[in-house]
Amino acid sequence: MCGIIGLLVKDAGSRDSLGTLMAPMFDCMAERGPDSAGLAVFGAPVDGSLRRYSLFVGDRGYDWPAFHDAFKEQTGFDGDLRPTENHAVLVSAIEPPRFRQWLAECDPAPHLLSVGRAIDVYKDEGFPTEVARRYHFAEMQGSHCVGHTRMATESAVSPAHAHPFTAGEDFCLVHNGSLSNPYMLRRKLEAEGLCFETDNDSEAACRYLEWKMRQGESLDEAIETGFAELDGFYTLLIATADQLTLVRDAFACKPAVVAETDAYVAISSEFRSLAHLPGVADANIFEPLPEEIYSWRL
Amino acid sequence: MAVVNSAVQLDLAKKSVRELNQFLHGDLAGRGIQRVEVLNPGGVHNLAVGLDADVDVDIRGHAGYFIAGMNKQARVTVHGNVGWSVAENIMSGVVRVRGNASECAAASGHGGLVVIAGDASSRCGISMKGCDIVVGGSVGHVSAFMAQAGRLVVCGDAGTGLGDSLYEAVIYVRGKIRSLGADAREEPMTDADRAVVSRLLDQAGINHAASEFKRVASARALYHWNSDAHQAY
């Protein structure tokens, strides 16, 4: 199964209520994916010289202050570190390749969940409502977010296998469904020099689409190309710093429903997780058509 | 539980789905209950399933999956949209959806009438076995797949693969058919077809002329395995 949600608030003045609106959507989809969960939140981008790095470690007692001190001392960069249990967001001017190199030398090395100027990612094993409580999803602020509750069918249950998957910068994807040719995609992308962190099929889709965009295609163009190259079942929700995009495969076996008002666009696997939203009674509610790309921009 | 305008009201903000269904499975006739209103459905699943009673049930709002599944006798109306598999395996009675229905509406239905006032998504009437379905809007891809008996009336358009691997169910479409599925073919409308369509539209409360509909039925080429066909149906 798996559950997916997405929410984009249209009014910049309502961005502090993103988490309040989203959290019940997320909790309601917990039954569809009880083994692990995750959320990507996009806020106001940091200054052009800075990056946001979302970090994860398995140990909830991890010594983040020591990590922070080591980072500043060993890299020479300043950085603002905000830990939440075993997650932390680092905002720093260090460039991604240099940061990755330094991170690889840490012991134990935190896992880098996302890089960008607007994106923060939280994901972990556990029942989704517990994951949401642990990382304070209801308090999240920002313009848009995508979330996922996972019922694993094709690869292991681990924090790394949880969604969202990220690639490049300010790019993430959540997936309900299963691809039948992820290894073919991986081999193709590995030949192009791309590295994978898991054997998960959704990671292959994520890296494929982001790679296509780095080849100069727009996200819509990358998805159009993907219709021929991604084989299997999927409802995909993809987010960038300024865009939220929804697409279903040609058979549309995996559900999705959209509720759009002047204030927001909300997407979920099932309507019941949208039923609490203000103004939903008068929203434009529709089921996305197969192989139709639905995009909303900030 | 309140009684308003002779209808028993059950509020799902206060009652569970199980409590609702157990109530509907109770001795409604013995208690003189002819009408039940379900308030605040909130998109939840499995409302009014397995009914076997001469009763009217009105669900006031959007509902989730498997609404009015396995229905016998009852007349269930959803005043909103429904998710997957509304009226799945309906045996008799009437299930009406005032809004749109997601996938697999009336899947495997044996009897009775299912009316979707808006659009029905893909696989509408999949494997239907004798029920009648009237869709006021359009139906999605592979509707009436392997449909064995009954009638599917579509007042709007039909998506790709309509009637794929059709048996003896008959489909009537007023709008465009994006493509027919394997072994489905368009056939001339007869007076008997027009009478059927008129009657079903009348029962559905939808006003169109039967003469505007096309008939789609099985070419029956898939009935017998043909080893020379090389899967080229």
Side-chain angles (χ1 to χ4, degrees):
Chain A
M1 221 157 19
C2 295
I4 59 172
I5 59 149
L7 179 66
L8 182 148
V9 292
K10 296 178 178 177
D11 174 17
S14 304
R15 288 178 181 172
D16 54 357
S17 60
L18 183 78
T20 316
L21 291 172
M22 174 276 297
M25 294 170 62
F26 188 88
D27 286 354
C28 186
M29 288 296 93
E31 292 167 18
R32 289 186 65 95
D35 64 46
S36 45
L39 182 77
V41 184
F42 291 81
V46 292
D47 181 77
S49 64
L50 299 172
R51 293 289 201 304
R52 302 181 73 86
Y53 298 96
S54 289
L55 300 162
F56 171 90
V57 286
D59 176 11
R60 286 192 205 148
Y62 187 71
D63 190 349
W64 286 111
F67 170 86
H68 196 192
D69 290 343
F71 169 75
K72 286 187 286 193
E73 187 183 312
Q74 292 168 18
T75 66
F77 280 92
D78 204 0
D80 177 34
L81 186 79
R82 300 213 171 152
T84 312
E85 294 211 5
N86 56 345
H87 282 66
V89 176
L90 174 73
V91 179
S92 172
I94 190 170
E95 289 286 320
R98 173 78 186 94
F99 183 61
R100 284 178 198 278
Q101 187 187 17
W102 176 79
L103 205 56
E105 291 161 9
C106 288
D107 184 28
H111 182 73
L112 185 57
L113 295 177
S114 66
V115 183
R117 293 198 166 85
I119 188 173
D120 289 345
V121 169
Y122 300 84
K123 61 182 190 177
D124 207 347
E125 275 178 63
F127 196 68
T129 53
E130 172 58 18
V131 173
R133 188 201 58 75
R134 201 184 299 152
Y135 305 115
H136 312 293
F137 285 2
E139 294 161 29
M140 296 291 172
Q141 299 184 354
S143 51
H144 56 299
C145 61
V146 297
H148 188 270
T149 61
R150 181 166 186 243
M151 183 181 283
T153 53
E154 53 68 61
S155 58
V157 175
S158 82
H161 286 80
H163 302 217
F165 284 96
T166 64
E169 296 195 28
D170 285 327
F171 183 89
C172 76
L173 170 149
V174 293
H175 173 206
N176 175 200
S178 56
L179 297 181
S180 52
N181 65 342
Y183 289 98
M184 197 186 292
L185 284 175
R186 281 178 67 122
R187 284 194 294 273
K188 175 179 173 153
L189 296 176
E190 280 167 348
E192 299 289 337
L194 273 72
C195 295
F196 288 78
E197 292 174 0
T198 71
D199 55 350
N200 184 286
D201 59 340
S202 312
E203 185 187 353
C206 178
R207 295 202 185 278
Y208 170 83
L209 292 171
E210 193 272 339
W211 173 72
K212 280 283 175 193
M213 289 172 72
R214 274 192 282 124
Q215 306 304 304
E217 294 187 7
S218 68
L219 177 56
D220 287 13
E221 288 166 343
I223 293 170
E224 287 282 353
T225 320
F227 287 143
E229 294 212 58
L230 301 179
D231 187 26
F233 300 126
Y234 51 83
T235 295
L236 299 175
L237 252 179
I238 302 151
T240 66
D242 62 356
Q243 187 174 338
L244 183 60
T245 293
L246 169 67
V247 67
R248 300 171 81 199
D249 70 82
F251 294 98
C253 285
K254 297 298 173 185
V257 61
V258 181
E260 185 167 13
T261 69
D262 291 340
Y264 60 79
V265 53
I267 300 152
S268 178
S269 298
E270 299 178 24
F271 174 77
R272 65 187 166 123
S273 93
L274 309 176
H276 69 283
L277 290 170
V280 78
D282 301 316
N284 175 27
I285 297 168
F286 64 93
E287 187 177 77
L289 296 170
E291 290 199 332
E292 192 85 25
I293 301 168
Y294 298 85
S295 285
W296 294 269
R297 287 186 162 276
L298 285 187
Chain B
M1 198 164 69
V3 178
V4 179
N5 297 331
S6 79
V8 172
Q9 285 190 335
L10 281 131
D11 188 346
L12 287 175
K14 297 171 188 160
K15 296 269 184 195
S16 69
V17 172
R18 177 164 294 179
E19 285 174 307
L20 167 70
N21 284 328
Q22 284 178 342
F23 174 77
L24 292 172
H25 296 165
D27 183 15
L28 299 177
R31 297 168 65 186
I33 296 169
Q34 296 174 330
R35 204 153 76 79
V36 176
E37 269 196 313
V38 180
L39 307 180
N40 295 310
V44 299
H45 307 326
N46 308 319
L47 300 178
V49 292
L51 300 197
D52 187 3
D54 180 12
V55 64
D56 287 284
V57 178
D58 286 279
I59 298 173
R60 300 282 176 191
H62 303 312
Y65 293 5
F66 304 112
I67 305 305
M70 302 174 282
N71 189 64
K72 277 185 181 170
Q73 300 189 68
R75 294 163 300 277
V76 180
T77 303
V78 181
H79 300 264
N81 303 325
V82 290
W84 284 27
S85 301
V86 64
E88 184 185 54
N89 219 68
I90 180 174
M91 302 303 287
S92 64
V94 182
V95 176
R96 291 176 190 272
V97 177
R98 299 286 187 203
N100 302 320
S102 185
E103 301 193 14
C104 301
S108 195
H110 286 252
L113 174 67
V114 179
V115 180
I116 313 291
D119 296 329
S121 180
S122 58
R123 294 171 270 266
C124 176
I126 182 171
S127 197
M128 56 194 279
K129 296 175 174 69
C131 67
D132 290 317
I133 307 170
V134 181
V135 179
S138 298
V139 294
H141 58 272
V142 204
S143 286
F145 176 61
M146 294 186 81
Q148 290 146 54
R151 278 75 54 105
L152 169 62
V153 178
V154 181
C155 300
D157 302 333
T160 54
L162 179 69
D164 194 290
S165 307
L166 199 56
Y167 291 89
E168 290 302 293
V170 179
I171 309 166
Y172 301 99
V173 183
R174 181 164 162 270
K176 294 191 192 81
I177 299 169
R178 199 153 168 204
S179 70
L180 291 170
D183 208 32
R185 70 179 181 193
E186 212 175 304
E187 296 180 344
M189 288 282 280
T190 65
D191 287 344
D193 289 314
R194 281 184 281 273
V196 163
V197 171
S198 290
R199 183 173 58 77
L200 290 173
L201 288 172
D202 191 46
Q203 287 176 6
I206 294 172
N207 191 20
H208 291 301
S211 58
E212 296 173 358
F213 286 78
K214 299 179 270 288
R215 173 190 158 101
V216 173
S218 174
R220 298 177 181 172
L222 283 175
Y223 272 37
H224 305 287
W225 172 250
N226 178 2
S227 61
D228 295 328
H230 300 299
Q231 297 288 302
Y233 292 104

